[in-house]
Amino acid sequence: MPSSKPSSIRSAGALPQPVLGQPAPVAVFLVVTIEPGGESAARDLLSGLAGLVRAVGFPSPDGGLCCVAGVGSSAWDRLFEGPRPGRLHPFEELAGPRHRAVATPGDLLFHIRAARTDLCFALSAEIMKRLRGAVTVQDEVLAFAYFDSRNLLGFVDGTENPVGPAAAEAAIVGDEDPAFLGGSYAIVQKYVHDIDAWEALAVEAQEKVIGRSKLTNIELDVPGSHIDVNTVTGPDGEEPEILRGAMPFGRPGHGEFGTYFIAYARTPDVPETMLRRMFVGGPESGPDPVLDYSRAVTGTLFFCPSAGFLEAIPEELDKE
């Protein structure tokens, strides 16, 4: 009896999904788990996702609608046969002296971006229409750009993101894993801020926590600050980079203020090292002081295959 899963899917091209897209004014982060028997619906959705994005976005060419889909470790073998991405594994929960990076369920990630809320809404509605009954929603967040690229703590976010070829080098898998060329690893975490405690701090105290000037965004020399803790140096003395796409979200009527953090990386080792320094600390610094005001409530690792990989899924099924 033939398997219901694609056998030995290989990228039909190394074109990445829109991982390297520019920051957008609006984003939806949708994380779901696949119910038993829902694998076929999930594969159908993934293989047709690019066409779905084109259909929803076509009437609004200036809307910039795009979507990146990721697959979690426990779902990969349920959906595909053959090799796995070399560094795909479950998110590692971290327990430090004062803070905890939790690991939460997630089989599929959809990172939707656009210039308008209605486009993000329409695409997420179409995705869920096709997955209805096949998945359980674990998290759904509508995020937004806030003033001049600031988070809800009032500081500019994403300043150190690489651009151009450096962004691709940091975020896109290369020849080290040829079966998954053009893919990317994505770590997502939802942080909820204690805004009252944060705003009780003087601006100078906030700047010492972050390691930047609040007004001008100039980096400050503050050992043990958020910036300092998240600066990782490799054996060659270089600072390995990741591509951050964090965005604010909130519901003031519910007292909810937060940041949805997503990091795309060529290997999860880099963001995992940063998280370990943040939550556990390192030989030269303690945990990240921003965690005294920001609590991680989710944590999942995904692999985002190349666009060619996703489009090849039905072709492989036809060969069985």
Side-chain angles (χ1 to χ4, degrees):
M1 181 175 179
S3 169
S4 62
K5 296 186 287 187
S7 57
S8 302
I9 292 180
R10 287 184 172 82
S11 297
L15 179 68
Q17 295 187 66
V19 167
L20 304 178
Q22 293 297 311
V26 187
V28 167
F29 297 92
L30 181 62
V31 175
V32 304
T33 48
I34 303 171
E35 293 297 308
E39 292 83 4
S40 179
R43 283 194 297 268
D44 287 347
L45 185 280
L46 291 172
S47 66
L49 183 61
L52 187 59
V53 173
R54 287 193 296 270
V56 174
F58 181 79
S60 306
D62 296 331
L65 180 65
C66 67
C67 179
V68 176
V71 181
S73 179
S74 63
W76 188 272
D77 294 332
R78 295 172 58 192
L79 296 176
F80 313 118
E81 289 182 347
R84 288 167 56 92
R87 300 294 297 144
L88 182 59
H89 55 264
F91 181 87
E92 180 184 355
E93 186 166 303
L94 299 169
R98 298 196 307 276
H99 311 293
R100 184 164 160 250
V102 297
T104 51
D107 290 336
L108 298 176
L109 163 72
F110 300 98
H111 179 196
I112 303 168
R113 286 172 286 180
R116 295 180 358 217
T117 303
D118 60 337
L119 291 173
C120 288
F121 176 87
L123 181 57
S124 58
E126 288 295 332
I127 288 172
M128 287 309 305
K129 181 178 180 180
R130 286 157 173 75
L131 294 178
R132 192 78 62 197
V135 303
T136 297
V137 175
Q138 298 294 331
D139 200 19
E140 182 179 10
V141 173
L142 173 64
F144 50 86
Y146 187 63
F147 292 121
D148 48 345
S149 301
R150 294 180 184 268
N151 55 35
L152 297 188
L153 301 180
F155 285 78
V156 174
D157 206 357
T159 301
E160 297 300 324
N161 258 355
V163 296
E169 181 70 20
I172 305 301
V173 173
D175 292 337
E176 69 275 10
D177 197 351
F180 298 100
L181 191 70
S184 184
Y185 293 89
I187 280 182
V188 298
Q189 290 179 295
K190 184 163 82 172
Y191 286 87
V192 176
H193 306 315
D194 185 344
I195 288 293
D196 289 340
W198 178 254
E199 291 183 344
L201 295 178
V203 170
E204 286 133 355
Q206 293 178 356
E207 291 176 336
K208 288 181 179 179
V209 169
I210 301 298
R212 286 189 182 277
S213 163
K214 192 170 187 177
L215 178 62
T216 64
N217 191 40
I218 301 300
E219 188 170 330
L220 306 174
D221 184 13
V222 184
S225 67
H226 171 71
I227 297 297
D228 181 56
V229 169
N230 279 272
T231 300
V232 176
T233 303
D236 56 1
E238 296 290 323
E239 293 183 13
E241 295 182 302
I242 59 175
L243 189 63
R244 297 171 175 85
M247 293 186 73
F249 69 91
R251 296 182 300 166
H254 293 75
E256 182 183 66
F257 301 85
T259 296
Y260 202 98
F261 173 79
I262 182 167
Y264 290 108
R266 184 169 182 160
T267 169
D269 295 356
V270 179
E272 286 173 342
T273 298
M274 293 176 177
L275 290 179
R276 198 167 297 111
R277 287 169 58 95
M278 281 182 65
F279 285 86
V280 180
E284 299 177 359
S285 64
D288 191 329
V290 82
L291 295 178
D292 292 333
Y293 308 92
S294 300
R295 178 170 58 93
V297 296
T298 70
T300 319
L301 171 66
F302 298 93
F303 182 74
C304 307
S306 71
F309 182 105
L310 297 182
E311 291 171 1
I313 293 173
E315 295 175 9
E316 291 289 335
L317 285 171
D318 290 342
K319 294 176 183 176
E320 295 178 352

